[in-house]
């Protein structure tokens, strides 16, 4: 299989399925397309009909795009890995909070775009993201309390991958008001080998002025 991604420093959507493939040891070839280049869209369209990344090209040559669609495909194709929780109630909750992440928190995406290399706590404390930060903190505390940790549903799963870019954002922008449970969860996610590899891969990438010009 092939996974088409963009810059590791900026592409939160790319991070999610990449982490799942790496963490669960599912073999794949990484194809990286740099953002903000004259031929970026042309290159992506070779693999993804939507013109967006990530896109998974499976071993039959079929394209699956959108991070949540890729995650669901991997869960179907590799049932030997518990990509979703085994317990039905936990699985339903994991799907719900993953979908909430997928479709919501627009204020966080806009105010705190993923940029692993920066440190801007002044942005993370802006009023416009306070409610969403509190909601994410509450979700994490609820899931960790129910599962006992160390990850949202015990073992690392799709829900953790969906929120991994939020971990990167919170690490960069350091919003106030996070609980001790959430702060500890952030450190555990950052310590995962797959997450460390993603962060290491972002270090030598070229900067993009548009994304770095945070006001």
């Amino acid at each position: 299989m092939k996974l088409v991604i963009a810059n590791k420093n900026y592409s939160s959507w790319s991070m999610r399925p990449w982490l799942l493939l790496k963490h669960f040891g599912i073999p794949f070839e990484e194809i990286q397309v740099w953002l903000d280049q004259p031929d970026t869209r042309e290159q992506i369209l070779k693999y993804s009909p939507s013109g967006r990344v990530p896109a998974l090209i499976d071993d039959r040559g079929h394209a699956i795009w959108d991070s949540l669609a890729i995650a669901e495909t991997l869960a179907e194709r590799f049932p030997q890995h518990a990509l979703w929780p085994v317990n039905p109630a936990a699985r339903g909750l994991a799907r719900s909070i993953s979908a909430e992440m997928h479709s919501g928190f627009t204020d966080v995406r806009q105010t705190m775009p993923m940029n692993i290399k920066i440190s801007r706590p002044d942005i993370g404390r802006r009023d416009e993201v306070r409610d969403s930060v509190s909601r994410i903190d509450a979700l994490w505390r609820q899931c960790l309390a129910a599962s006992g940790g160390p990850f949202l549903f015990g073992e690392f799963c799709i829900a953790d991958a969906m929120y991994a870019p939020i971990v990167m954002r919170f690490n960069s922008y350091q919003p106030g008001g996070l609980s001790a449970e959430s702060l500890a969860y952030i450190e555990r996610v950052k310590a995962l080998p797959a997450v460390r590899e993603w962060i290491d891969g972002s270090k030598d990438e070229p900067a993009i002025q548009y994304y770095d010009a945070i006001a």
Side-chain angles (χ1 to χ4, degrees), residues 112-132:
M112 299 191 290
M114 193 170 92
N115 191 332
I116 295 170
K117 298 177 184 179
I118 68 170
S119 177
R120 290 293 305 271
D122 55 312
I123 293 175
R125 288 166 171 76
R126 289 179 178 174
D127 289 342
E128 56 261 40
V129 296
R130 186 171 299 164
D131 288 347
S132 287

Side-chain angles (χ1 to χ4, degrees), residues 93-194:
L93 178 58
R95 281 195 162 108
S96 295
I97 70 166
S98 295
E100 184 173 355
M101 177 71 260
H102 188 264
S103 62
F105 304 119
T106 304
D107 49 353
V108 172
R109 301 181 202 279
Q110 293 176 344
T111 305
M112 299 191 290
M114 193 170 92
N115 191 332
I116 295 170
K117 298 177 184 179
I118 68 170
S119 177
R120 290 293 305 271
D122 55 312
I123 293 175
R125 288 166 171 76
R126 289 179 178 174
D127 289 342
E128 56 261 40
V129 296
R130 186 171 299 164
D131 288 347
S132 287
V133 169
S134 295
R135 172 60 180 162
I136 293 167
D137 181 74
L139 286 174
W140 288 358
R141 285 188 289 108
Q142 174 191 352
C143 294
L144 291 167
S147 70
F151 299 104
L152 295 177
F153 294 89
E155 297 301 319
F156 184 86
C157 71
I158 289 171
D160 298 288
M162 290 298 294
Y163 281 87
I166 291 291
V167 168
M168 297 293 98
R169 287 177 164 98
F170 284 3
N171 188 61
S172 293
Y173 298 101
Q174 302 170 42
L178 291 176
S179 63
E181 295 91 336
S182 289
L183 291 171
Y185 172 70
I186 287 170
E187 294 305 312
R188 290 194 294 273
V189 172
K190 286 165 52 183
L192 276 170

Side-chain angles (χ1 to χ4, degrees), residues 17-160:
W18 190 97
L19 285 184
L20 292 171
L21 290 162
K22 281 286 182 177
H23 179 82
F24 289 100
I26 301 170
F28 72 103
E29 175 188 347
E30 176 185 315
I31 299 173
Q32 192 168 33
V33 178
W34 298 121
L35 296 171
D36 200 37
Q37 300 297 311
D39 64 342
T40 295
R41 183 168 174 81
E42 177 186 348
Q43 292 300 317
I44 292 174
L45 282 170
K46 292 179 180 178
Y47 307 99
S48 173
S50 69
R52 297 177 180 273
V53 291
L56 180 74
I57 312 303
D58 69 13
D59 50 6
R60 301 179 182 91
H62 299 149
I64 302 97
W65 57 96
D66 186 278
S67 58
L68 193 53
I70 295 170
E72 289 282 14
T73 298
L74 295 176
E76 291 176 354
R77 289 287 305 277
F78 299 95
Q80 68 271 31
H81 302 303
L83 273 77
W84 287 119
V86 175
N87 177 272
R91 188 164 61 251
L93 178 58
R95 281 195 162 108
S96 295
I97 70 166
S98 295
E100 184 173 355
M101 177 71 260
H102 188 264
S103 62
F105 304 119
T106 304
D107 49 353
V108 172
R109 301 181 202 279
Q110 293 176 344
T111 305
M112 299 191 290
M114 193 170 92
N115 191 332
I116 295 170
K117 298 177 184 179
I118 68 170
S119 177
R120 290 293 305 271
D122 55 312
I123 293 175
R125 288 166 171 76
R126 289 179 178 174
D127 289 342
E128 56 261 40
V129 296
R130 186 171 299 164
D131 288 347
S132 287
V133 169
S134 295
R135 172 60 180 162
I136 293 167
D137 181 74
L139 286 174
W140 288 358
R141 285 188 289 108
Q142 174 191 352
C143 294
L144 291 167
S147 70
F151 299 104
L152 295 177
F153 294 89
E155 297 301 319
F156 184 86
C157 71
I158 289 171
D160 298 288

